[in-house]
Amino acid sequence: MSAPKWCPSLSLAVDGQDGAYVIEAAPQADGPGRRSVEALAYDRKPVDDDDDEDEGWVWRALAPPPYVREPGYGDDEGGRSGKITCHAAEGARIWVSTAGRGTYSLDTASDAWTKAGDWALPFRGRTVPVPEHASRLWFGVSASNAGKICASNLHAAANEGRAPAVDQVWDGFAVPEGFHDLEPHSYVVHLGDGRLCVAKFFETTRQEADDDWTCRRCCHGYVSECAFAMFTGVEVEPGAGRWHRLIRHRSLRYSLGTDRVPVSVL
């Protein structure tokens, strides 16, 4: 990368393109040593290029979302209102939704940002469209309840200039009792043919001791003991009208050990 990224950061792949996009979850205006958005792309040399340098992978800095230049941004505890709470990629567009600055899309063909509205998407973490079904619904972890999966028609809302409504909700995706849900680290991954993988991350915690080093502001006096990942396979079946059936398959839990809290899933 041309500049280091603050943790957490988001990584996304775009249909029909090689490489990936990396976006800081709390983007800031570009400055010395600061690039909040970058793209990794393969630089193919023209046939008639006499340059001795070989073709290869290169990082390209892109403009951050426009709201980072709005007056007062960054004054609310480091830009909390602009923190990206939900993200997705569809076609040539990347969508990001914030806690208090609305929802934006990045056209990766022109590198231009567009504001979709002052509303937030009803998801948290990564959400995905399921193009196999005519309803064009998007699926993701519910923003109001991390133990549920919900579906919403983002395109209809964006075309009508309104906040997207939740069309359907499914229970059964809460982390096991006694564990702490790492809410920002929730992902729904599209596997194709109407199949999805729901990835949830959680941990066990304990009350900090006097000799523990922890940030009381963000950790609230608790120390992570062990982190886990839970992957659940689901299948979307079209039903009557716009209603769908979500078939939940088996779940697998993996221990990530201590000090290994993940920040992204590709």
Side-chain angles (χ1 to χ4, degrees):
M1 297 183 189
S2 61
K5 299 291 175 284
W6 285 82
C7 178
S9 291
L10 318 171
S11 59
L12 302 99
V14 174
D15 292 343
Q17 296 185 24
D18 294 330
Y21 290 79
V22 177
I23 305 175
E24 289 181 339
Q28 301 292 326
D30 288 346
R34 188 68 184 266
R35 297 290 186 272
S36 289
V37 183
E38 291 196 61
L40 176 64
Y42 195 80
D43 184 17
R44 293 178 172 83
K45 293 176 56 178
V47 176
D48 57 351
D49 192 341
D50 295 329
D51 195 336
D52 292 334
E53 292 186 8
D54 295 331
E55 62 182 13
W57 293 97
V58 295
W59 286 99
R60 183 167 56 92
L62 304 178
Y67 61 79
V68 303
R69 295 185 293 272
E70 293 178 356
Y73 179 74
D75 296 340
D76 54 338
E77 297 188 27
R80 177 181 294 180
S81 65
K83 183 178 180 180
I84 297 173
T85 57
C86 171
H87 60 283
E90 183 193 33
R93 287 192 174 273
I94 291 174
W95 294 81
V96 296
S97 188
T98 68
R101 299 276 174 168
T103 296
Y104 289 77
S105 68
L106 171 65
D107 185 341
T108 60
S110 63
D111 295 340
W113 287 95
T114 302
K115 187 172 185 178
D118 291 323
W119 36 263
L121 294 175
F123 309 104
R124 70 178 68 189
R126 176 173 296 181
T127 178
V128 293
V130 179
E132 297 92 307
H133 302 313
S135 62
R136 302 187 72 184
L137 289 178
W138 290 47
F139 292 79
V141 177
S142 171
S144 60
N145 189 325
K148 297 182 179 182
I149 298 297
C150 65
S152 178
N153 191 327
L154 174 59
H155 291 287
N159 291 336
E160 298 170 10
R162 59 172 175 83
V166 173
D167 287 349
Q168 283 185 263
V169 179
W170 296 270
D171 293 314
F173 296 91
V175 301
E177 186 176 354
F179 293 87
H180 174 62
D181 194 345
L182 298 173
E183 294 183 357
H185 307 302
S186 299
Y187 306 86
V188 175
V189 181
H190 182 224
L191 304 178
D193 198 25
R195 296 185 177 94
L196 306 173
C197 177
V198 179
K200 302 291 293 293
F201 296 92
F202 51 96
E203 64 183 356
T204 56
T205 60
R206 60 177 171 81
Q207 191 77 33
E208 68 169 337
D210 293 337
D211 57 348
D212 285 328
W213 184 93
T214 184
C215 175
R216 294 178 181 273
R217 179 179 176 184
C218 62
C219 300
H220 306 293
Y222 286 88
V223 178
S224 174
E225 287 189 316
C226 189
F228 299 87
M230 182 171 67
F231 300 98
T232 304
V234 298
E235 194 170 352
V236 180
E237 283 192 350
R242 63 187 180 91
W243 301 108
H244 291 69
R245 180 186 177 204
L246 202 68
I247 303 173
R248 186 175 184 272
H249 296 290
R250 65 180 299 189
S251 296
L252 294 176
R253 187 177 75 181
Y254 297 90
S255 173
L256 302 175
T258 58
D259 301 323
R260 294 189 62 187
V261 178
V263 295
S264 63
V265 170
L266 294 177

